[in-house]
Amino acid sequence: VERNEGEAVVRMGADGTPTRKIDMIAEEVILDILYEKDLPVKVISEEAGEVPISDDYEYVLALDPIDGTFNSLRNIPFYSISMAFSTSNSMKDIFFGYIFDLSGENEYYATREGAFKNGRPLKVSRERELSRANVIYYGGDDWKIVDRIKRTRLLGCASLELCLVAEGKMDAFVDCRNSLRVFDVAAGILMVSSAGGKVSKEKGQEVDNGISIGERINIVASNELLHDSLVEALNEG
Ligand code: IPD
Ligand code: CA
C-alpha cells in the first residue's frame, strides 16, 4: 500500500491503540496462513486480540504483525514481524521466538538453547562497565541514568532493538514507560536470554507476565554482566 493509504486508521485495535491499514493487512495475511496450516495455537495479536486458530489449541502465539509501524510508514528501515510461542498463557513458558527484519530481510530465531541470525549463532556483548555501556533507553519519568552510561539509541522497534542486544551491537535495552505490550517483546526476550543475556522487570524481578492483550510490561534486557548495576542505577532514590 502507498504511505497515505497504509497510515489510515481503520478502527481501534484490541490493544486499545489505533489500527492502521498496514497493520490490518499484515495481520490478515499472517492469520490466513495460520488458518491454512491449521496450527494448534491460540493467537494473541495486537489488532485482532485473541484468535483461536483451532479449538483444541496446545500453544499460545504472541504476534505482532508489524512491530515499528511508525518506522514502516515513514520508510525508516527498522520494523519487523514478531512471533513468540508459549506452552501456556505465561511469558515464562515461551520456547520459540521468531523475528523477521522486514527491510533488511534478516531472520532471527531463538529456542531455549540458542539464538540465531540467518542461521549464525548470536552472542551478547562483554561490556562490564556502566560508564562504557551503549544502551537503548526509554525511561519512565526518570531519565537520570543517561548521565551514567556512554551512549543511548532510540530506534522505535522493540523486537529488533532486543535483537541488537542479542547480537552484541548494543549492551542493553531498558523500557520503563509502562507501555510495552507483551507481543512487542515476547520473542526478543527469548532472543536476548538465549544469546547469553539476562532479562528482568525494572526492579530485577522475573518476567512472569501473562500473555494477554491488556498487559503492559517494563523490562531491562542486558548482556548479563551489566544487569545488576543497571537495575541498581534505575532504582536509586
Ligand atoms: C511499538 C514499537 C516501539 C515501542 C512502542 C511500541 P508497534 O510497537 O515496538 O519500539 O517503543 O512502545 O508500541 O505499535 O509499532 O507495534
Ligand atoms: Ca504492531
Side-chain angles (χ1 to χ4, degrees):
V1 287
E2 291 297 317
R3 177 170 151 212
N4 288 347
E5 202 189 333
E7 216 161 30
V9 174
V10 284
R11 55 167 191 247
M12 283 307 276
D15 70 329
T17 64
T19 300
R20 300 190 183 271
K21 190 162 183 182
I22 193 167
D23 296 318
M24 191 185 78
I25 293 172
E27 188 177 70
E28 281 173 2
V29 169
I30 296 169
L31 290 177
D32 281 352
I33 295 171
L34 295 173
Y35 279 122
E36 207 179 286
K37 305 257 178 227
D38 195 24
L39 288 190
V41 295
K42 177 176 80 174
V43 181
I44 311 287
S45 180
E46 180 170 4
E47 318 303 343
E50 280 201 20
V51 185
I53 299 292
S54 72
D55 291 337
D56 47 352
Y57 60 84
E58 285 173 63
Y59 305 110
V60 174
L61 164 55
L63 167 69
D64 193 348
I66 301 187
D67 186 33
T69 300
F70 178 83
N71 286 351
S72 77
L73 289 168
R74 295 291 171 100
N75 250 327
I76 299 168
F78 204 69
Y79 49 94
S80 76
I81 300 172
S82 176
M83 296 175 141
F85 291 82
S86 175
T87 50
S88 77
N89 274 316
S90 169
M91 299 274 282
K92 285 200 293 194
D93 295 320
I94 290 174
F95 63 94
F96 186 71
Y98 179 87
I99 297 170
F100 188 68
D101 163 11
L102 283 157
S103 53
E105 299 195 352
N106 294 300
E107 186 173 58
Y108 296 86
Y109 75 87
T111 65
R112 292 209 179 120
E113 278 71 54
F116 302 85
K117 177 182 184 181
N118 302 327
R120 289 192 316 275
L122 297 178
K123 192 79 196 100
V124 293
S125 73
R126 298 162 66 90
E127 184 55 65
R128 292 174 172 275
E129 291 297 324
L130 204 52
S131 60
R132 286 201 299 257
N134 304 313
V135 181
I136 295 162
Y137 185 67
Y138 296 87
D141 298 332
D142 193 348
W143 290 72
K144 66 176 182 278
I145 79 154
V146 167
D147 295 337
R148 303 188 46 190
I149 57 186
K150 178 86 176 170
R151 291 184 191 85
T152 52
R153 297 285 184 270
L154 298 174
L155 302 167
C157 173
S159 57
L160 286 178
E161 287 170 309
L162 287 164
C163 289
L164 293 180
V165 177
E167 56 188 311
K169 291 182 174 169
M170 293 298 289
D171 303 316
F173 169 94
V174 177
D175 193 325
C176 295
R177 296 173 297 166
N178 292 314
S179 65
L180 283 175
R181 286 81 40 94
V182 291
F183 41 76
D184 290 324
V185 291
I189 287 176
L190 187 63
M191 208 69 66
V192 171
S193 28
S194 297
K198 180 166 176 179
V199 185
S200 72
K201 297 194 212 178
E202 77 273 33
K203 292 197 173 10
Q205 326 90 303
E206 183 186 11
V207 181
D208 57 358
N209 300 57
I211 302 177
S212 73
I213 200 81
E215 193 80 18
R216 295 291 180 270
I217 177 171
N218 287 336
I219 62 165
V220 180
S222 75
N223 65 359
E224 214 215 336
L225 303 169
L226 287 163
H227 208 86
D228 291 349
S229 40
L230 254 178
V231 169
E232 210 175 281
L234 282 169
N235 291 290
E236 263 168 13

